Amino acid sequence: MSPYAATGIIMVVIGLYAAMTRKNLLRVVLGLSIMARGVPLIFIVGGMQTGTMSAAQSIVITIIVIEAVTVAVALSLVVAAYNHNKTLSITALRRLKG
Amino acid sequence: MIPLIGWLNERAMKWYTVAASFVTAGLAVSLFFSAGGGEFTRVWWIPGIDASVGIHLTGVGLYVAVVAACVGALAILYSIRYMEPREESYGPTRYYFLTLLFVGAMIAESMADSFLFLYLFWELIGVCSFLLIAYDYRRSRARDAGLKAFVVTRFGDIGLLVAVVTLWTAMNRIGAEDPFSIGGTIQAALAGQIPHHMLGIAGVGFIAAAVGKSALFPLHIWLPDAMEAPTPTNALIHAATLVNAGVYIVARTLPMFTVLPWWLPTLVWIGAISALLTAILALLERDIKHLLAFSTISQLGFMMAAVGAASVFASQFQMLNHGIFKALLFLAAGAVIHTTGTRNLFEMGGLRRSMPLTHITFAVGAAALAVFTLLNGFWFDNAVFEALLVNGHTIPLVMLVLAVILTAIYAFRMYWLTFAGERRSETEAADAPWQMAVPLVVLAVGTVIGWLYVGRLAAHLGTVLVYHDIPPIVPGALLQYTFNTALLALGGVTILALVWLGMRWSRHGSPVPEEPRMWADLVTDTKAFGDWLWGLPVVVMRAFAALISLGQTGDLNYNSLWLALGFIAVLVMLLGWG
Amino acid sequence: MEVLLPIVVLGGAGLLCYVIGRLSLSRSLTGCVALVAILGSGHVVYQLSESLDEGIVVGWPATGPELPLQSYLRADHLGIFLAAVALLLAGFVAVYSMRYMHRRNIGKFYALLLTMTAGIIGIGFAGDLFTMFVLFEVMSIASFILVAFEREEWEPVEAGVKYLVISTVGGLMALLGIAIVYSYTGSLDLAALPSLLAGDAGSAQLLTVAALFIVGFGVKTALVPMHTWLPDAHAAAPSGISAMLSGIVIEAGLITMLKALLAIGLANTGLLLVLIALLTMFVGNLVALRQSDLKRMFAYSSIAQMGYIFMGVGLALGYSNIAAFSGMRGGLYHILNHAIMKGGAFLCAGAFLYLLGTRDMRKLAGIGRSLPILGVCFVIFALALAGTPPFNGFFSKVLLVRAGADVGGWGLFMAVMLILNSVISLFYYVGAINTVVFGPIPDNRPKRLKPMPFLIALPIVVLAVLVLAMGVYPDLGLMIVDPAAQQLATMIGFG
């Protein structure tokens, strides 16, 4: 496995870890963002290995667009949550359960 | 030919309903006498899975249909007055619509020659019974009883669905043209084309279905609760439709399973246990409707044992008779409840004078129930015993004999408590209006003369049931035979004992033995037993639900953790198997 | 071009809806534009299905891929099935929302609704993994915003945040799987991949990819234990959107997973899916027993119903030699039925919410009697969901059990578990009927309720009639289910 691919997978794991442990909403969103940066790396590696770099590039650009939209929506929801109870803590998001 | 369609698209104009029901009953009866070797019609229903809707008039089905149509018509007539006080608050449309649908579904089920169609109506009956039992929706007990009846019978339905689909699969494998056809399936089974393990699964399924629907042990718990329904509905459920469906289905599919050695004895045992257990419970019961409910289960136990003894004729004849006299008892009891306003036997008594007509009809019904002299119940039980003796089931036979004796005792206890002796309450009591009285009289007459048709019925069954083995029976010879058996002595002793007891009680003016009351509380609190059987699974289920619900913390971190754990679990399992 | 048309029509109409809604603030006008777009793309899908029946494969771009890798769409029976179900439900929701939604953000609402529908249709028609993923994300992002549409309230915001985070993590895991496939083969073509990967069957990499697909798309599909977002999101969303989410979005997730798994040649996933299905249906049904919130109860029941669907699909994958067709048929037929009956149930719950402002069943007690027509519809939906005849849920249950019987032995045991679950579910469905329809009316409820708008009641009644019609004449559904099931069975057979 090339170091680039390893880096990509490590970034995905970091993002997942952030979602599991961070209590701050913004950090969770940052975790998502890191995850979404890791996966394109693997596409790039794949493009290099299989000699289809042009395709890989277009894929990566599309992923970045999707990721940007997702993060924008996420941030707007975070703002809405903050406006409701003036905190970014995840523990405030526990009213719906059972 | 298609009376059932008339049933289904009905509106609630009451007399229209009554007219429709009587027309249907007439049609069903005429079919009964005209149908020869089984008429047959078939329409493709779901071409996608080769499912057709066949209508096949088999003998077994006709019995059920006739009972359902006749008793249904009488019960609807009876409802007109009985339901009057409730109409304003509940709306009669729903009641009459559901009742018609209920009876119609039963007729359709009994005539269908397609397992899928049969199953569809089978469940439709369940839905109708739930909605009818919960008819009195303002009382939470009625709603709960509806739920209970629905769920418990659905446990039986699990078996039926598995059985039906298994047979469908088997028929598809042998390339049958109409894989759902009941007749076709029986043929294939007799020809040995269906593998034994599949037949075994289907056999278990049919037994489970019958036990659930006919309220036999151990799924009998819903029937007493179903007494929350309006009384005419009770008569329908008990006498005409719901519970008979269970017996019908095993009787109908009986030839298929004769190759399985364990199938018939299982039926006999289930029948015997149910008959005896519920006869005991009936003896101890104080609520007249609950008593009748237990008596129904007991009678169904007899029917099931009869099928298990391979005596389809006996069980069908019993079903016909039971349908008539149980409907009679229920409607008469309903008239009593209607006027006295109580269901407790110990608050009745002495109604003999104030309700002469009800008294006579009830007495006829009780007598029939009690295996009395020439009435059909008596004749019939001998037929079952005969069949059982031939097949050598000794222990169940003993249980059944005991149950018969208990039946006689509880029938008379019920009669004495209700009508004989002195009044024990101050309420006014009078005979019912004619809409309620006519069904009573008709049913009473039916009870008295019904058995005379035995020969005709036997001959009829012999011709229309292609796959069953029905010996021809001549009434005269049968009568003679009946009186020659040793069982006659038993019957005679029972009768004498009862007459003596009755005379003693009426002379001493104390028809209320105090001891049974104590027994009732001590030996077996019937309600508690049923509640335990019903409650345990529910409690377990709720406990699991609470446990799982703890996992739904609502915390985003935990949600992500579940996701990661899920991934690891999936990965490990895949790699482990890969 | 034809195959792109429904998506373009819906997307373009979405923009138009936004502009019209913004300018006119008219709910009827915006809704009608959306409805016309839905009907129009429905027409295109119908034409596609006709040309497919004649054996013409419609793809876009029409000329074959010149580049080594190109994204493209292709019409097949599975895609048409998914598009048909999505458009059917979206049409009802569009009509329903004309009165149900508030007028302020109406343009945004319809634009997102149409975008979401376009994404679902695209998933069905996608010809390669990456196109499918992009359209999957289009659907997801639209649904995030729709769940949190009423952001003045707390509940939708909380549900939206959870839904977004969990769903995005899942989506990225699936994307990681796609990236791994790509780096091994250099191709993402769904049709070409099975042969490219045939040599690697059972290798650790491929199994990892399969696990990533199951979990990643399984988040959207609400497989236990990735289901935790669903009850929050489905209960908090506007009722029309709840109907879409439960009725078609989670099923679209399943189709996505199925297409992805078929592309990599299954890798022994069938039995695992059946086990997960078993877990899913038990968890869904048992937890639903505890709910007092009507929409939350239906949300849990959706989890259970997904378990039923996965049972069919899993049996088809696991026993491809005997149950491929019957399992797929059962699963797909249940998707169709579930869309109709659960969609109707959510719309019905939404109508009650609209009148009384509460989803608590105890406070809703007796509402079914005050509104007899809706009450009857509610009974129909609840009984259909419990799988009782003569409603459509009954027939898909029969087909699913058939798949179990085809497998025999162990499969039959699973089928028994399925029916047992439908009995458990009866507790809460009948319990809900007993409360919502037959329960005592609370004293503090006003005697006169506000009038029920015709356009809210209409879709509910039509759906109830459809439930009944498909129960009495199941061939209606089989007509579109069977070709899709046949196609999938063929794909499994050669996979």
Side-chain angles (χ1 to χ4, degrees):
Chain A
M1 191 187 290
S2 73
Y4 302 105
T7 315
I9 288 173
I10 288 171
M11 284 171 80
V12 170
V13 173
I14 288 174
L16 197 56
Y17 179 77
M20 278 193 288
T21 57
R22 294 299 98 182
K23 295 285 174 204
N24 188 319
L25 267 180
L26 279 179
R27 285 172 198 247
V28 172
V29 175
L30 272 177
L32 289 185
S33 213
I34 294 172
M35 262 185 107
R37 292 286 182 281
V39 180
L41 264 181
I42 298 174
F43 270 104
I44 300 284
V45 174
M48 286 198 302
Q49 280 174 353
T50 57
T52 52
M53 202 58 195
S54 56
Q57 279 173 345
S58 60
I59 287 177
V60 166
I61 291 168
T62 319
I63 293 176
I64 289 172
V65 172
I66 293 175
E67 191 265 339
V69 176
T70 311
V71 170
V73 174
L75 286 178
S76 83
L77 285 179
V78 170
V79 170
Y82 182 78
N83 284 340
H84 271 288
N85 50 354
K86 303 300 172 203
T87 171
L88 286 174
S89 172
I90 253 177
T91 45
L93 287 167
R94 292 187 56 167
R95 290 194 210 163
L96 305 174
K97 58 180 171 186
Chain B
M1 187 67 237
I2 318 268
L4 38 138
I5 293 188
W7 289 94
L8 294 175
N9 45 28
E10 260 319 82
R11 292 284 304 157
M13 296 306 296
K14 279 183 276 177
W15 288 105
Y16 184 41
T17 312
V18 173
S21 60
F22 272 97
V23 168
T24 311
L27 279 175
V29 172
S30 68
L31 270 180
F32 181 65
F33 287 109
S34 65
E39 287 181 29
F40 208 77
T41 353
R42 185 176 295 281
V43 184
W44 290 104
W45 175 36
I46 315 169
I49 54 169
D50 294 339
S52 70
V53 180
I55 299 216
H56 190 183
L57 295 175
T58 58
V60 190
L62 262 182
Y63 269 94
V64 180
V66 167
V67 172
C70 296
V71 177
L74 292 171
I76 287 171
L77 177 63
Y78 179 91
S79 307
I80 295 219
R81 273 313 274 275
Y82 187 83
M83 297 304 288
E84 227 168 27
R86 309 185 189 203
E87 274 173 12
E88 280 178 28
S89 47
Y90 295 108
T93 313
R94 188 162 55 101
Y95 176 76
Y96 289 104
F97 172 72
L98 285 173
T99 309
L100 272 182
L101 189 63
F102 195 32
V103 179
M106 187 68 200
I107 295 176
E109 184 200 319
S110 59
M111 293 184 172
D113 182 53
S114 153
F115 275 121
L116 189 65
F117 209 45
L118 182 142
Y119 181 71
L120 197 150
F121 281 107
W122 174 276
E123 282 218 5
L124 194 61
I125 293 170
V127 175
C128 286
S129 70
F130 151 63
L131 289 171
L132 275 173
I133 293 170
Y135 175 75
D136 225 350
Y137 52 74
R138 301 220 172 142
R139 287 179 305 135
S140 66
R141 281 187 61 185
R143 282 181 268 141
D144 293 345
L147 172 69
K148 192 165 163 180
F150 201 9
V151 171
V152 174
T153 52
R154 278 292 289 268
F155 268 104
D157 296 353
I158 298 178
L160 185 58
L161 181 55
V162 169
V164 166
V165 175
T166 307
L167 290 176
W168 174 26
T169 314
M171 291 297 280
N172 256 356
R173 288 209 183 138
I174 61 172
E177 189 187 331
D178 184 359
F180 285 107
S181 161
I182 297 180
T185 311
I186 293 176
Q187 257 174 341
L190 288 181
Q193 288 171 309
I194 297 178
H196 264 218
H197 69 272
M198 289 182 123
L199 215 51
I201 293 168
V204 173
F206 279 120
I207 290 183
V211 166
K213 210 63 151 189
S214 289
L216 295 172
F217 181 81
L219 293 181
H220 62 277
I221 49 177
W222 63 268
L223 200 58
D225 284 277
M227 288 300 122
E228 298 299 328
T231 301
T233 305
N234 284 331
L236 274 179
I237 289 179
H238 285 254
T241 55
L242 189 61
V243 292
N244 287 350
V247 177
Y248 161 70
I249 200 164
V250 285
R252 181 78 200 270
T253 54
L254 175 69
M256 211 188 302
F257 300 112
T258 42
V259 290
L260 301 171
W262 47 266
W263 203 72
L264 291 175
T266 313
L267 284 185
V268 173
W269 275 100
I270 291 175
I273 293 173
S274 307
L276 184 58
L277 179 77
T278 48
I280 296 171
L281 293 180
L283 192 59
L284 303 172
E285 188 56 60
R286 274 186 280 184
D287 182 321
I288 187 168
K289 284 175 84 175
H290 283 188
L291 194 157
L292 288 173
F294 284 124
S295 135
T296 302
I297 301 174
S298 182
Q299 295 286 315
L300 284 163
F302 285 122
M303 290 182 217
M304 200 55 99
V307 177
S311 171
V312 175
F313 171 69
S315 84
Q316 294 304 304
F317 195 60
Q318 162 91 344
M319 186 194 287
L320 191 64
N321 290 333
H322 173 255
I324 296 170
F325 73 68
K326 189 49 67 67
L328 172 64
L329 283 173
F330 261 112
L331 296 183
V336 171
I337 297 167
H338 194 65
T339 47
T340 60
T342 177
R343 280 161 45 177
N344 191 334
L345 282 171
F346 290 86
E347 290 171 12
M348 296 173 184
L351 295 172
R352 192 173 37 198
R353 283 177 208 88
S354 46
M355 304 177 74
L357 183 72
T358 316
H359 166 236
I360 293 167
T361 51
F362 194 87
V364 169
L369 174 63
V371 202
F372 220 161
T373 58
L374 289 175
L375 291 174
N376 47 29
F378 174 67
W379 181 84
F380 165 69
D381 280 338
N382 286 341
V384 174
F385 293 148
E386 164 67 15
L388 280 174
L389 265 183
V390 170
N391 288 284
H393 300 296
T394 323
I395 300 174
L397 183 60
V398 172
M399 292 169 79
L400 285 174
V401 171
L402 267 176
V404 169
I405 297 171
L406 286 175
T407 307
I409 297 175
Y410 76 68
F412 274 86
R413 173 172 169 272
M414 175 174 72
Y415 168 73
W416 289 119
L417 284 174
T418 316
F419 288 98
E422 299 305 317
R423 291 297 305 277
R424 284 183 298 277
S425 64
E426 299 302 311
T427 44
E428 289 286 314
D431 256 328
W434 72 267
Q435 291 98 328
M436 288 163 79
V438 166
L440 290 181
V441 174
V442 172
L443 286 169
V445 172
T447 310
V448 178
I449 61 165
W451 67 281
L452 290 173
Y453 283 100
V454 58
R456 171 109 209 206
L457 296 186
H460 184 254
L461 268 180
T463 51
V464 294
L465 280 184
V466 190
Y467 306 111
H468 295 67
D469 186 22
I470 308 282
I473 299 174
V474 185
L478 198 84
L479 214 59
Q480 201 180 3
Y481 167 79
T482 305
F483 281 105
N484 280 336
T485 51
L487 287 163
L488 180 66
L490 179 76
V493 169
T494 317
I495 296 156
L496 285 177
L498 284 167
V499 170
W500 177 74
L501 263 178
M503 282 170 67
R504 208 185 70 122
W505 276 345
S506 42
R507 204 179 304 132
H508 293 288
S510 166
V512 189
E514 289 298 321
E515 301 92 290
R517 283 214 224 180
M518 279 169 62
W519 290 8
D521 297 336
L522 278 178
V523 179
T524 161
D525 186 343
T526 57
K527 187 104 182 61
F529 176 68
D531 283 350
W532 180 80
L533 212 58
W534 161 253
L536 192 68
V538 176
V539 168
V540 170
M541 210 164 69
R542 298 223 176 255
F544 269 107
L547 197 67
I548 298 168
S549 188
L550 285 180
Q552 182 78 12
T553 54
D555 192 313
L556 193 47
N557 291 150
Y558 281 99
N559 292 358
S560 313
L561 186 66
W562 281 119
L563 197 156
L565 289 179
F567 173 67
I568 291 168
V570 167
L571 191 61
V572 166
M573 285 168 90
L574 275 184
L575 289 178
W577 281 340
Chain C
M1 190 60 204
E2 247 184 329
V3 67
L4 191 63
L5 209 55
I7 303 170
V8 173
V9 166
L10 288 176
L15 281 177
L16 192 63
C17 277
Y18 183 65
V19 175
I20 291 175
R22 215 33 206 274
L23 293 179
S24 71
L25 288 181
S26 161
R27 294 184 292 186
S28 312
L29 184 62
T30 321
C32 284
V33 172
L35 198 58
V36 167
I38 289 167
L39 290 177
S41 46
H43 180 69
V44 177
V45 169
Y46 178 71
Q47 281 185 332
L48 276 177
S49 82
E50 285 208 321
S51 62
L52 201 60
D53 286 341
E54 290 160 16
I56 305 165
V57 178
V58 186
W60 181 83
T63 53
E66 290 127 17
L67 294 166
L69 187 133
Q70 186 173 6
S71 73
Y72 63 99
L73 301 167
R74 183 173 46 218
D76 55 11
H77 288 294
L78 182 63
I80 284 170
F81 168 73
L82 190 62
V85 180
L87 288 170
L88 180 76
L89 196 56
F92 284 111
V93 170
V95 174
Y96 179 84
S97 301
M98 280 186 214
R99 287 292 167 272
Y100 183 82
M101 296 307 295
H102 195 271
R103 107 184 19 245
R104 190 151 41 83
N105 282 325
I106 195 72
K108 200 161 94 180
F109 176 83
Y110 275 109
L112 287 166
L113 178 65
L114 292 184
T115 312
M116 190 161 82
T117 315
I120 296 167
I121 295 174
I123 289 172
F125 287 150
D128 69 297
L129 276 175
F130 189 68
T131 312
M132 190 165 76
F133 177 78
V134 171
L135 288 159
F136 178 78
E137 284 293 313
V138 167
M139 172 188 87
S140 301
I141 292 169
S143 66
F144 299 150
I145 309 174
L146 282 169
V147 164
F149 198 71
E150 288 147 355
R151 59 181 59 188
E152 299 79 21
E153 309 284 323
W154 169 250
E155 194 188 348
V157 173
E158 176 179 340
V161 171
K162 287 183 198 167
Y163 178 30
L164 186 143
V165 172
I166 298 296
S167 200
T168 309
V169 169
L172 287 170
M173 285 172 87
L175 186 62
L176 182 62
I178 296 174
I180 294 174
V181 170
Y182 174 67
S183 59
Y184 273 91
T185 60
S187 165
L188 290 172
D189 190 338
L190 284 174
L193 274 176
S195 51
L196 286 173
L197 287 168
D200 289 334
S203 70
Q205 296 92 340
L206 219 51
L207 289 174
T208 312
V209 172
L212 283 169
F213 283 165
I214 290 177
V215 174
F217 294 125
V219 168
K220 191 56 109 197
T221 326
L223 287 179
V224 172
M226 287 82 78
H227 68 285
T228 45
W229 61 272
L230 185 139
D232 301 346
H234 287 210
S239 298
I241 297 309
S242 308
M244 283 295 281
L245 286 179
S246 267
I248 188 67
V249 171
I250 51 179
E251 282 81 356
L254 177 131
I255 301 281
T256 319
M257 183 196 291
L258 200 57
K259 286 179 84 166
L261 285 178
L262 285 174
I264 60 168
L266 312 185
N268 290 347
T269 50
L271 296 181
L272 181 71
L273 282 185
V274 173
L275 280 184
I276 298 178
L278 198 62
L279 187 65
T280 304
M281 63 178 87
F282 269 108
V283 167
N285 276 328
L286 287 176
V287 185
L289 283 176
R290 292 171 55 84
Q291 305 304 319
S292 60
D293 177 335
L294 189 58
K295 280 177 76 177
R296 205 172 167 82
M297 187 196 87
F298 279 137
Y300 274 109
S301 110
S302 287
I303 298 178
Q305 306 272 351
M306 282 314 286
Y308 304 161
I309 296 171
F310 261 97
M311 169 82 76
V313 171
L315 286 175
L317 292 179
Y319 299 89
S320 50
N321 49 343
I322 34 181
F325 178 64
S326 59
M328 281 299 170
R329 174 151 82 172
L332 292 186
Y333 197 69
H334 200 63
I335 288 181
L336 174 65
N337 282 338
H338 184 243
I340 294 172
M341 59 198 183
K342 186 55 71 64
F346 266 118
L347 295 188
C348 216
F352 298 150
L353 174 64
Y354 176 86
L355 281 191
L356 295 180
T358 178
R359 309 194 307 245
D360 190 329
M361 278 194 269
R362 282 162 303 206
K363 292 182 188 155
L364 285 175
I367 181 75
R369 291 209 308 284
S370 316
L371 305 162
I373 295 176
L374 285 190
V376 169
C377 292
F378 184 83
V379 172
I380 289 179
F381 293 133
L383 289 180
L385 283 165
T388 46
F391 307 118
N392 58 3
F394 161 74
F395 192 70
S396 47
K397 190 172 75 180
V398 170
L399 286 182
L400 285 169
V401 174
R402 171 64 201 263
D406 269 342
V407 173
W410 197 67
L412 203 60
F413 169 74
M414 303 303 284
V416 170
M417 287 292 120
L418 191 152
I419 315 174
L420 180 67
N421 262 286
S422 86
V423 174
I424 295 176
S425 72
L426 209 57
F427 271 97
Y428 59 85
Y429 290 128
V430 173
I433 293 175
N434 272 348
T435 315
V436 174
V437 180
F438 296 141
I441 297 176
D443 299 330
N444 55 0
R445 185 179 303 163
K447 278 277 177 285
R448 288 196 57 79
L449 300 165
K450 51 179 170 174
M452 173 59 67
F454 174 71
L455 285 178
I456 288 188
L458 179 71
I460 299 175
V461 173
V462 176
L463 278 171
V465 170
L466 212 53
V467 165
L468 190 60
M470 286 182 54
V472 175
Y473 191 68
D475 235 32
L476 280 181
L478 284 180
M479 284 188 298
I480 61 170
V481 168
D482 270 355
Q486 193 61 56
Q487 181 203 341
L488 279 171
T490 317
M491 282 163 80
I492 298 170
F494 293 120

